[in-house]
Amino acid sequence: MALLVLALFWLAVTVLLAIVEVVTNGVITGGTLALERVADWKFTEVVTTPAHAYITAHAAGLPMGADAIWSAWALTGPILWLLCRLTGSSWSARLAWLLYGAATVAMVYSASPVNGRMLAAGITVLYWGVLSVFALRGLHRRPTVHVQSAPALTTALEQLRTRLDE
Protein backbone atom coordinates (compact mmCIF):
# COMPACT_ATOMS: atom_id res chain seq x y z
CA MET A 1 0.00 0.00 0.00
CA ALA A 2 2.82 2.40 0.89
CA LEU A 3 4.51 1.64 -2.42
CA LEU A 4 1.31 2.54 -4.29
CA VAL A 5 1.01 5.84 -2.41
CA LEU A 6 4.66 6.61 -3.10
CA ALA A 7 4.22 5.85 -6.81
CA LEU A 8 1.10 8.06 -7.03
CA PHE A 9 2.92 10.86 -5.21
CA TRP A 10 5.89 10.57 -7.61
CA LEU A 11 3.50 10.61 -10.59
CA ALA A 12 1.66 13.68 -9.26
CA VAL A 13 4.91 15.56 -8.65
CA THR A 14 6.22 14.64 -12.12
CA VAL A 15 3.02 15.81 -13.82
CA LEU A 16 2.97 19.00 -11.75
CA LEU A 17 6.60 19.78 -12.65
CA ALA A 18 5.86 19.14 -16.33
CA ILE A 19 2.88 21.51 -16.20
CA VAL A 20 4.98 24.19 -14.47
CA GLU A 21 7.71 23.79 -17.11
CA VAL A 22 5.24 24.10 -19.99
CA VAL A 23 3.59 27.19 -18.46
CA THR A 24 6.97 28.79 -17.72
CA ASN A 25 8.19 28.17 -21.27
CA GLY A 26 4.94 29.61 -22.62
CA VAL A 27 5.24 32.74 -20.49
CA ILE A 28 8.89 33.21 -21.47
CA THR A 29 8.13 32.69 -25.16
CA GLY A 30 5.13 35.02 -25.01
CA GLY A 31 7.08 37.65 -23.09
CA THR A 32 9.98 37.44 -25.53
CA LEU A 33 7.63 37.83 -28.50
CA ALA A 34 5.91 40.78 -26.83
CA LEU A 35 9.24 42.47 -26.10
CA GLU A 36 10.42 41.87 -29.67
CA ARG A 37 7.17 43.42 -30.89
CA VAL A 38 7.74 46.49 -28.69
CA ALA A 39 11.38 46.65 -29.83
CA ASP A 40 10.22 46.77 -33.47
CA TRP A 41 7.76 49.58 -32.80
CA LYS A 42 8.78 52.79 -34.62
CA PHE A 43 8.70 54.94 -31.47
CA THR A 44 10.99 52.59 -29.56
CA GLU A 45 13.42 51.93 -32.42
CA VAL A 46 15.20 55.18 -31.54
CA VAL A 47 16.29 53.39 -28.36
CA THR A 48 16.28 49.70 -29.26
CA THR A 49 18.13 49.84 -32.58
CA PRO A 50 21.25 51.62 -31.23
CA ALA A 51 21.18 49.53 -28.03
CA HIS A 52 21.00 46.33 -30.08
CA ALA A 53 23.81 47.57 -32.34
CA TYR A 54 25.95 48.43 -29.30
CA ILE A 55 25.40 45.02 -27.71
CA THR A 56 26.09 43.23 -30.99
CA ALA A 57 29.30 45.21 -31.58
CA HIS A 58 30.66 44.69 -28.07
CA ALA A 59 29.61 41.07 -27.41
CA ALA A 60 32.54 39.56 -29.31
CA GLY A 61 34.65 37.38 -27.08
CA LEU A 62 32.10 37.12 -24.28
CA PRO A 63 30.88 33.68 -23.15
CA MET A 64 27.29 34.61 -24.07
CA GLY A 65 26.27 35.50 -27.58
CA ALA A 66 24.91 38.88 -28.61
CA ASP A 67 21.36 37.52 -28.91
CA ALA A 68 21.42 36.19 -25.35
CA ILE A 69 22.76 39.48 -24.02
CA TRP A 70 20.16 41.40 -26.02
CA SER A 71 17.38 39.21 -24.60
CA ALA A 72 18.72 39.68 -21.07
CA TRP A 73 18.86 43.45 -21.56
CA ALA A 74 15.33 43.52 -23.02
CA LEU A 75 13.90 41.44 -20.15
CA THR A 76 15.77 43.26 -17.39
CA GLY A 77 14.03 46.59 -18.06
CA PRO A 78 10.44 45.40 -17.54
CA ILE A 79 11.48 43.26 -14.57
CA LEU A 80 13.18 46.20 -12.86
CA TRP A 81 10.21 48.44 -13.71
CA LEU A 82 7.83 45.98 -12.06
CA LEU A 83 10.09 45.61 -9.03
CA CYS A 84 10.18 49.37 -8.59
CA ARG A 85 6.44 49.65 -9.12
CA LEU A 86 5.46 46.85 -6.77
CA THR A 87 8.06 47.49 -4.06
CA GLY A 88 7.87 51.24 -3.84
CA SER A 89 10.23 51.46 -0.88
CA SER A 90 13.03 49.25 -2.26
CA TRP A 91 16.05 51.47 -2.77
CA SER A 92 18.04 48.67 -4.37
CA ALA A 93 15.41 48.19 -7.09
CA ARG A 94 15.25 51.94 -7.66
CA LEU A 95 19.02 52.19 -7.89
CA ALA A 96 19.15 49.27 -10.33
CA TRP A 97 16.41 50.95 -12.41
CA LEU A 98 18.35 54.22 -12.56
CA LEU A 99 21.64 52.50 -13.41
CA TYR A 100 19.88 50.48 -16.12
CA GLY A 101 18.55 53.72 -17.56
CA ALA A 102 21.94 55.41 -17.48
CA ALA A 103 23.52 52.42 -19.22
CA THR A 104 20.78 52.47 -21.85
CA VAL A 105 21.32 56.16 -22.55
CA ALA A 106 25.08 55.57 -22.82
CA MET A 107 24.56 52.69 -25.27
CA VAL A 108 22.14 54.73 -27.38
CA TYR A 109 24.49 57.71 -27.42
CA SER A 110 27.49 55.57 -28.34
CA ALA A 111 25.83 53.56 -31.14
CA SER A 112 23.74 56.32 -32.74
CA PRO A 113 24.91 58.16 -35.86
CA VAL A 114 27.17 61.11 -35.05
CA ASN A 115 24.69 63.72 -36.27
CA GLY A 116 21.82 62.26 -34.21
CA ARG A 117 23.58 61.25 -30.99
CA MET A 118 22.30 64.07 -28.82
CA LEU A 119 18.77 63.74 -30.17
CA ALA A 120 18.71 59.96 -29.69
CA ALA A 121 20.07 60.32 -26.15
CA GLY A 122 17.53 63.05 -25.42
CA ILE A 123 14.65 60.92 -26.66
CA THR A 124 15.94 58.03 -24.55
CA VAL A 125 16.07 60.25 -21.47
CA LEU A 126 12.54 61.47 -22.24
CA TYR A 127 11.21 57.92 -22.54
CA TRP A 128 13.11 56.93 -19.41
CA GLY A 129 11.68 59.88 -17.51
CA VAL A 130 8.12 58.96 -18.42
CA LEU A 131 8.68 55.34 -17.42
CA SER A 132 10.39 56.44 -14.21
CA VAL A 133 7.42 58.55 -13.15
CA PHE A 134 5.36 55.38 -12.92
CA ALA A 135 8.17 53.07 -11.75
CA LEU A 136 9.42 55.23 -8.91
CA ARG A 137 5.98 56.19 -7.66
CA GLY A 138 5.37 52.87 -5.96
CA LEU A 139 2.15 51.54 -4.49
CA HIS A 140 2.67 52.92 -1.02
CA ARG A 141 1.21 56.23 0.00
CA ARG A 142 3.16 58.45 2.28
CA PRO A 143 1.78 58.49 5.82
CA THR A 144 -0.34 61.41 6.91
CA VAL A 145 1.46 63.55 9.45
CA HIS A 146 -0.64 65.46 11.95
CA VAL A 147 1.15 68.38 13.56
CA GLN A 148 -0.27 69.65 16.82
CA SER A 149 0.66 73.12 17.85
CA ALA A 150 2.28 73.60 21.21
CA PRO A 151 0.58 75.83 23.74
CA ALA A 152 1.61 79.43 23.52
CA LEU A 153 4.62 80.30 25.63
CA THR A 154 2.93 83.38 27.02
CA THR A 155 0.07 81.27 28.31
CA ALA A 156 2.45 79.03 30.23
CA LEU A 157 4.27 82.08 31.67
CA GLU A 158 0.98 83.69 32.70
CA GLN A 159 -0.04 80.47 34.47
CA LEU A 160 3.28 80.38 36.28
CA ARG A 161 2.89 84.02 37.39
CA THR A 162 -0.60 83.45 38.69
CA ARG A 163 0.58 80.44 40.67
CA LEU A 164 3.50 82.37 42.08
CA ASP A 165 1.27 85.31 42.98
CA GLU A 166 -1.08 83.04 44.93
Side-chain angles (χ1 to χ4, degrees):
M1 183 67 169
L3 189 59
L4 179 65
V5 170
L6 187 62
L8 286 176
F9 179 73
W10 175 80
L11 181 64
V13 168
T14 304
V15 168
L16 184 63
L17 288 175
I19 290 171
V20 167
E21 183 179 353
V22 167
V23 169
T24 303
N25 287 339
V27 168
I28 289 172
T29 303
T32 303
L33 289 175
L35 287 173
E36 286 175 2
R37 182 97 168 148
V38 169
D40 290 338
W41 193 32
K42 293 294 182 195
F43 289 113
T44 59
E45 281 185 353
V46 173
V47 177
T48 58
T49 301
H52 189 268
Y54 182 88
I55 290 170
T56 303
H58 291 87
L62 295 176
M64 293 174 57
D67 290 337
I69 295 172
W70 166 252
S71 296
W73 177 84
L75 286 173
T76 301
I79 289 170
L80 285 175
W81 188 88
L82 282 174
L83 282 174
C84 287
R85 181 84 175 132
L86 297 177
T87 61
S89 59
S90 172
W91 285 101
S92 57
R94 289 179 177 198
L95 179 62
W97 171 255
L98 294 174
L99 291 174
Y100 179 82
T104 302
V105 171
M107 284 192 297
V108 168
Y109 179 82
S110 176
S112 292
V114 176
N115 293 339
R117 282 185 174 170
M118 292 301 287
L119 181 61
I123 290 172
T124 305
V125 169
L126 179 69
Y127 287 170
W128 204 258
V130 170
L131 290 172
S132 294
V133 166
F134 297 105
L136 300 178
R137 179 182 165 272
L139 293 177
H140 309 290
R141 295 183 61 144
R142 289 196 164 87
T144 305
V145 177
H146 299 285
V147 178
Q148 297 179 356
S149 59
L153 185 60
T154 56
T155 307
L157 288 175
E158 289 173 0
Q159 289 176 355
L160 181 64
R161 281 186 187 160
T162 56
R163 286 189 187 171
L164 289 176
D165 289 339
E166 295 174 354

